[in-house]
Amino acid sequence: MDDPIAITPVDIREVWPSESNDFTPWLADHVEVLGEHLGIGELSVKATEYPIPGGRLLDILAEDSDAARWAIENQYGEGDHDHFTRGLAYAVALKCRAIIIVAENHKEEFIAVADEWNRYSESYGKNGIRIFLVAIEAWSIGDSAPGFRFRLVAGPNEWKVAVGSGAAKSDSDIALEVARKQFWSQWLDSLNAKSPLFRKISARKGSYIDFASGACKYQIWVKADSCHIQLRIDSGDAVENQGIFEEIENSRTAIEQQFGDVLEWKSENHRACIIRYNVEGSPGLKTPEDERSNGVEKLVDTMISFHSALDPVIGQLT
């Protein structure tokens, strides 16, 4: 019988040696994964090291698909008073919907405070600031490169009830799903008139749609005011992801010349690799439907060009 594959915890400092120089920039690049892991929906970065009145800096200022602000503070070790109270002060000053504090672990006293705060915050409805305490964890499976996950330690009660029990969605959640479906319907109609890329895909309620099978998937993400397109490389194996990414990157100059602009190349040995492009002038969910036409056309044309530049290279991968 084969020996079981060992799952070994990894010190996050082996993955990200420096909190400020490695982990915070990485978290900013992967904030949408933070949203996915916590089940709180799409987040996008508005700024890093964001200045706060009084001369302090917020690690990451993010935004959800409703254009509401989220404050994110991260630290190594155990969550402490400084980051907890400072994070709350930042969230209040910036009128954020929530504060997310990411650390290796959190003390019971802070978990209790967060739970009590969230209980009171819920009475203010959307005007209340929620607290999310999150643990970052890393591990290796056998000889593989380290993987990671964000684990929720404390969060709003109404969020936990909704996630845990499948409770009825709020009116705002339903309205957001309807808005996304309308957006994708409009975009797909325009794309399908020009290209067969997404012809087998119907409008969805989520923040993104994708196509292609295997490790390489083309994706379009819609946010409040804009969209971005990307190639996501995720085979399920970090080493394989990196190898595919490097093969594609070998043709970077030709790809960008074909596409007509510079792309963002995001490579992580412990996570999916991304080749991304933010489409300037693209519409978002907050863009009135009758004002989207030009932006939708630009998004369609950009997606077709993006696919045309990358697909010949991907087709030649060994």
Side-chain angles (χ1 to χ4, degrees), residues 150-170:
F150 297 105
R151 177 173 58 84
L152 182 71
V153 177
N157 290 328
E158 82 273 24
W159 175 85
K160 288 185 286 188
V161 169
V163 172
S165 66
K169 296 176 181 176
S170 67

Side-chain angles (χ1 to χ4, degrees), residues 40-308:
I40 57 178
E42 179 205 354
L43 295 175
S44 58
V45 172
K46 297 298 292 181
T48 58
E49 298 297 315
Y50 190 81
I52 306 294
R56 304 300 293 269
L57 297 173
L58 171 67
D59 287 336
I60 299 170
L61 177 63
E63 186 179 82
D64 63 22
S65 54
D66 287 329
R69 291 177 162 189
W70 289 62
I72 302 175
E73 277 286 291
N74 60 260
Q75 67 174 111
Y76 278 1
E78 193 167 57
D80 57 30
H81 287 280
D82 182 48
H83 284 80
F84 192 94
T85 56
R86 182 153 37 102
L88 276 175
Y90 294 168
V92 171
L94 296 173
K95 298 181 180 179
C96 292
R97 174 171 290 177
I99 170 70
I100 300 175
I101 302 172
V102 181
E104 292 178 74
N105 55 75
H106 296 271
K107 295 179 179 179
E108 289 296 328
E109 62 188 270
F110 293 127
I111 296 172
V113 171
D115 287 342
E116 189 70 4
W117 175 284
N118 285 327
R119 187 171 69 85
Y120 285 114
S121 180
E122 288 167 18
S123 65
Y124 288 90
K126 287 188 174 182
N127 294 322
I129 298 172
R130 294 353 187 222
I131 298 176
F132 292 80
L133 301 183
V134 177
I136 175 66
E137 300 173 341
W139 66 90
S140 288
I141 301 176
D143 296 327
S144 70
F148 74 93
R149 74 163 178 168
F150 297 105
R151 177 173 58 84
L152 182 71
V153 177
N157 290 328
E158 82 273 24
W159 175 85
K160 288 185 286 188
V161 169
V163 172
S165 66
K169 296 176 181 176
S170 67
D171 290 343
S172 61
D173 288 337
I174 294 172
L176 181 57
E177 289 183 351
V178 170
R180 285 171 177 159
K181 192 166 185 178
Q182 289 174 340
F183 181 91
W184 293 129
S185 294
Q186 185 177 5
W187 187 82
L188 285 167
D189 285 346
S190 181
L191 178 68
N192 290 338
K194 294 185 175 183
S195 169
L197 289 179
F198 283 74
R199 199 149 284 172
K200 295 182 179 180
I201 298 174
S202 58
R204 299 176 181 177
K205 302 175 182 178
S207 300
Y208 70 93
I209 57 176
D210 57 18
F211 76 102
S213 57
C216 296
K217 289 183 172 60
Y218 294 91
Q219 297 182 329
I220 304 93
W221 285 76
V222 61
K223 296 170 281 190
D225 301 308
S226 64
C227 294
H228 72 259
I229 59 178
Q230 64 184 36
L231 181 76
R232 180 182 176 89
I233 304 167
D234 191 356
S235 67
D237 180 272
V239 175
E240 183 177 351
N241 293 343
Q242 185 68 22
I244 295 171
F245 178 88
E246 290 174 358
E247 285 196 63
I248 298 174
E249 194 176 27
N250 287 336
S251 302
R252 179 172 181 168
T253 299
I255 289 170
E256 292 182 339
Q257 286 178 345
Q258 171 71 21
F259 179 65
D261 206 347
V262 175
L263 304 174
E264 295 180 46
W265 299 75
K266 300 175 179 288
S267 169
E268 301 292 345
N269 289 327
H270 46 271
R271 188 59 192 178
C273 301
I274 301 291
I275 303 170
R276 178 179 295 172
Y277 185 75
N278 295 309
V279 185
E280 186 177 348
S282 58
L285 292 176
K286 296 294 185 181
T287 307
E289 191 171 356
D290 59 356
E291 298 177 12
R292 290 178 185 163
S293 296
N294 290 338
V296 165
E297 288 299 316
K298 182 171 184 179
L299 182 60
V300 165
D301 292 340
T302 305
M303 184 70 240
I304 293 172
S305 297
F306 186 74
H307 178 267
S308 297

Side-chain angles (χ1 to χ4, degrees), residues 15-16 18-34 37 45 60 102 136-137 147-150 266-272:
V15 184
W16 307 281
S18 166
E19 177 195 343
S20 59
N21 295 329
D22 299 304
F23 183 70
T24 301
W26 173 87
L27 181 58
D29 284 341
H30 293 76
V31 72
E32 62 193 37
V33 180
L34 174 64
H37 281 202
V45 172
I60 299 170
V102 181
I136 175 66
E137 300 173 341
F148 74 93
R149 74 163 178 168
F150 297 105
K266 300 175 179 288
S267 169
E268 301 292 345
N269 289 327
H270 46 271
R271 188 59 192 178

